[in-house]
Amino acid sequence: KKPVFETEWFNVEEVSYDYFNARNGKPYYRINSPDGIIVLAITREDEILLVRQFRPALGKYTLEFPAGNIDAGETPAEAAGRELHEETGYSCETLKYLSAGRLMLNRHNCLLYGFFGKPATKDPTFVPREHIEIIPVSFVEFKKLVLDGTFEQSAALALFALAEWKLQQSPHQTGVG
């Protein structure tokens, strides 16, 4: 392993494997970043909590599920609760761990832990960050946003399917609300 680029959010390292070295001597590069979380949170009004924020990598605003990095010394569940509250001002009595998976297996080595929470309740003292807008949407609205290409976060769609499979019903039919 040889570090070739480093930022406060990630680093890139050159890695050597016999298989890749045999391929015309070209190096292979891996992106290392902290593990993260993503939360599918449903309000008492049966709305999915989305956040709208500017993503410099894409040069545009995106709609996403609340998500973020796991800080040093923090469990994935603690990070899920913290990120949900930091980004939306909501919290859930329980956040159910659904699964962990990887994004872009060809370049990244971090894990993304998925959580489901219902009912999400707003903290009345919460002051939103200037750069994050909280957007609760109905399940019908969410489906439209996905189908028209407005909602692009693939990890969120995987989490939505996982919630349905693991809960054995659609996430909005869990008896709370």
Side-chain angles (χ1 to χ4, degrees), residues 76-132:
E78 290 167 342
R82 176 184 52 75
E83 286 287 347
L84 178 63
H85 189 268
E86 281 180 5
E87 292 188 1
T88 68
Y90 283 78
S91 60
C92 294
E93 192 173 304
T94 59
L95 285 169
K96 181 175 177 55
Y97 167 74
L98 296 178
S99 185
R102 297 188 187 276
L103 300 172
M104 296 189 61
L105 298 167
N106 61 330
R107 291 282 178 245
H108 292 263
N109 65 357
C110 64
L111 278 171
L112 185 65
Y113 294 83
F115 289 85
F116 173 79
K118 183 175 182 178
T121 316
K122 184 151 178 114
D123 173 353
T125 65
F126 178 72
V127 177
R129 295 179 182 180
E130 289 182 26
H131 62 283
I132 296 180

Side-chain angles (χ1 to χ4, degrees), residues 18 23-24 33 39 43 58 61 82 89 104 115 140:
D18 290 340
R23 298 182 67 219
N24 299 323
S33 58
V39 180
T43 67
L58 302 175
Y61 284 88
R82 176 184 52 75
M104 296 189 61
F115 289 85
V140 170

Side-chain angles (χ1 to χ4, degrees), residues 136-157:
V137 297
S138 71
F139 282 79
V140 170
E141 291 170 308
F142 179 65
K143 184 176 181 180
K144 286 179 186 175
L145 292 168
V146 170
L147 293 177
D148 74 11
T150 302
F151 188 91
E152 303 176 277
Q153 188 184 31
S154 296
L157 300 179

Side-chain angles (χ1 to χ4, degrees), residues 1 11-12 46 50 58 78 89 112 124 150 153 158 163 166 168:
K1 299 178 198 178
N11 69 54
V12 178
D46 220 22
L50 302 181
L58 302 175
E78 290 167 342
L112 185 65
T150 302
Q153 188 184 31
K166 289 208 170 191
Q168 298 296 307

Side-chain angles (χ1 to χ4, degrees), residues 50-61:
L50 302 181
V51 292
R52 182 176 183 269
Q53 57 189 321
F54 185 78
R55 291 300 190 184
L58 302 175
K60 68 179 186 175
Y61 284 88

